[in-house]
Structures are given as structure tokens and as C-alpha cells.
């Protein structure tokens, strides 16, 4: 995987049992293998219990595996947590951190996300750090300031274009069917690109994903926006046809 290819990442959230996950991942892995050269990297992030079986099923394919979260520690008395070493052991190369659902449901602050990214980097995992404003913050004209604060607090020292991906996910667009307009996405991604300067080595090469109700019918337009280097996809990542259509919309 290289930083100049688009990354199409599927966040399965808390969906699917073992058979569903195996079907979906095997289908995508088969399509990738049969497709010949493609212009995108593809990643699936199943729930924790599915990581090992899915990892084994896709091990000989270009489909990458990621976790949806990790602990900021490598082991110890942390009931319910999953260490980055465990993700590595299951075959993960990526981990999503600071998703707005974790920030909201588990009170994850920027400093917690930062500590998790440090731990992920130590294990050689690529951290996909999520940022994005709420609808109220956007309406109040605070979107850029909110995202700047999240980037400043969440990106750890030692972040590079190789070990870090940023996902811009306006909270009001996640799972709602509402999508940011291409002009709003363009403006925010340009803002993020500028903010990364000085925070991440080779900031021009950092992949900045858009997430928020990306579907087959809007993917072509969104993936063509300047500084959009891929997508983080929730609902549409659960159907192989839809996820594949989003990926192949990349040019
Ligand atoms: C997400 O959960 O990261 C996401 C973008 O979800 P959806 O595509 O369903 O809006």
C-alpha cells in the first residue's frame, strides 16, 4: 500500500456474525484478486471477534484488515480492551481511532485518541484518526476550528504519511443519508491539508479520507474532489456490491 493510492475503508461497526463477515470479506477478496491492477487500496474493519476468521480468509489477498479501536496499552488489567499487539496478531495493518461514535459513546477525548495512536504506531499499525464537527458546530461556523482542535490534540508526535491516515467525517453525515457537498468537502480537506503541515512528516502525502453516507450514487463525485484520498464507509460497506461500486468509482 502506498500513500498516493486512494484508500477505501469499510467500517463494519457492530454488525454481522462470523458467517456474514466471512461471506463479505471473501467476496471482496475474490473481486480484488480477479480485478487485475486497481487504483485503490481496500480495507475492511470487522468487529473484534471476527478479526481472526476474516484475517485468515483474506490472508492471501490484497484486501487489508483493520480494527475499529485499540487500547493505549499493550497488555495488563484492562477488562474489555484490545491491545494493538492483538490486532497485529490477527493480521491487522490498520486501526480506526477516534471515530465519532467512540468519542460520543465512550467519552474519548483527543488525548485518549493520541495515546491510542502512539500505541498503534509502536506496533507498526496505521492509525486512521477520525475528526469531524457536529451539525450544531457547523451551523455556528465552528467547523474548521473544531477540526483544527481535534487534529492538534489527536495526532501524536512521530506521525508520518505512512503510519497515519486522517478521516474527515462530519458527525451529521454519518449514517444519516446526508452528505457534505463536494464544495464543503473540498474546503474542509484543503483546511485539513494545511493544518497537517508541521504536524505530520511529508504532510502532502497523508491520505485524507471523506466519510459520511458515501454510497455508490455519490462516490464518483466525492472521490474526484481535490485532496480526497479515499473514503471511510459505514452502511454501504456491509454490501459487497455497494462497497465494490464505491471503490471502482475511484479514478
Ligand atoms: C462511518 O461510520 O464511519 C460512516 C461513515 O458511516 P456511514 O457511511 O454509514 O455514514
Amino acid at each position: 500500500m502506498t500513500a498516493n493510492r486512494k484508500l477505501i475503508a469499510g467500517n463494519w461497526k457492530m454488525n454481522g456474525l462470523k458467517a456474514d463477515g466471512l461471506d463479505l470479506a471473501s467476496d471482496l477478496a475474490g473481486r480484488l484478486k480477479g480485478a487485475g491492477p486497481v487504483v485503490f487500496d481496500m480495507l475492511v474493519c470487522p468487529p473484534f471477534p471476527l478479526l481472526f476468521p476474516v484475517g485468515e480468509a483474506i490472508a492471501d489477498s490484497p484486501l487489508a484488515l483493520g480494527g475499529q479501536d485499540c487500547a493505549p496499552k499493550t497488555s495488563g488489567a484492562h477488562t474489555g480492551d484490545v491491545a494493538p499487539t492483538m490486532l497485529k496478531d490477527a493480521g491487522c495493518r490498520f486501526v480506526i481511532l477516534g471515530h465519532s461514535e467512540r468519542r460520543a459513546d465512550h467519552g474519548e477525548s483527543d488525548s485518549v485518541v493520541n495515546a491510542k495512536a502512539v500505541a498503534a504506531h509502536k506496533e507498526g499499525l496505521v492509525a486512521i484518526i477520525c475528526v469531524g464537527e457536529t451539525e450544531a458546530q457547523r451551523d455556528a461556523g465552528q467547523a474548521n476550528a473544531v477540526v483544527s482542535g481535534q487534529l492538534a490534540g489527536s495526532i501524536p508526535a512521530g506521525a508520518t504519511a505512512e503510519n497515519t491516515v486522517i478521516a474527515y467525517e462530519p458527525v451529521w453525515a454519518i449514517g444519516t443519508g446526508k452528505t457534505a457537498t463536494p464544495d464543503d468537502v473540498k474546503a474542509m480537506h484543503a483546511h485539513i491539508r494545511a493544518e497537517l503541515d508541521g504536524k505530520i512528516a511529508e504532510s502532502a502525502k497523508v491520505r485524507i479520507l471523506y466519510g459520511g453516507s458515501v454510497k455508490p450514487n455519490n462516490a464518483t463525485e466525492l472521490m474526484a474532489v481535490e485532496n480526497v484520498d479515499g473514503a471511510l464507509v459505514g452502511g454501504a460497506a456491509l454490501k459487497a456490491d455497494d462497497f465494490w461500486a464505491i471503490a471502482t468509482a475511484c479514478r
Side-chain angles (χ1 to χ4, degrees), residues 22-113:
L22 285 174
D23 278 355
L24 178 53
S26 305
D27 186 333
L28 293 169
R31 291 184 200 223
L32 262 183
K33 273 200 205 166
V38 290
V39 298
F40 54 85
D41 296 324
M42 185 175 266
L43 164 69
V44 291
C45 301
F48 289 136
L50 304 193
L51 286 175
F52 267 97
V54 168
E56 279 167 15
I58 64 174
D60 67 342
S61 86
L63 183 59
L65 187 70
Q68 297 176 17
D69 180 43
C70 71
K73 303 259 165 59
T74 40
S75 65
H78 305 289
T79 303
D81 284 345
V82 172
T85 39
M86 296 167 180
L87 298 186
K88 267 302 273 289
D89 198 32
C92 291
R93 293 165 58 196
F94 290 80
V95 59
I96 299 170
L97 295 175
H99 190 282
S100 62
E101 286 154 14
R102 293 210 60 85
R103 290 179 186 263
D105 299 350
H106 299 271
E108 288 191 5
S109 63
D110 292 330
S111 61
V112 167
V113 176

Side-chain angles (χ1 to χ4, degrees), residues 11 13 99 101 169 173-175 211-214 232-235:
N11 174 12
K13 309 193 187 191
H99 190 282
E101 286 154 14
E169 299 207 302
I174 295 177
S213 298
V214 178
L232 181 54
V233 185

Side-chain angles (χ1 to χ4, degrees), residues 144-157:
N144 282 9
V146 167
V147 167
S148 295
Q150 290 172 331
L151 292 169
S154 306
I155 296 174

Side-chain angles (χ1 to χ4, degrees), residues 161-182:
E162 291 297 323
N163 69 17
T164 305
V165 171
I166 304 298
Y168 168 58
E169 299 207 302
V171 178
W172 48 270
I174 295 177
T176 59
K178 290 189 210 167
T179 320
T181 65

Side-chain angles (χ1 to χ4, degrees), residues 7 9 66 80 86 121 140-142 150 170 197 202 204 235 248-249:
L7 174 63
M86 296 167 180
H121 286 163
Q142 297 165 348
Q150 290 172 331
D197 188 21
E202 295 197 280
T248 52

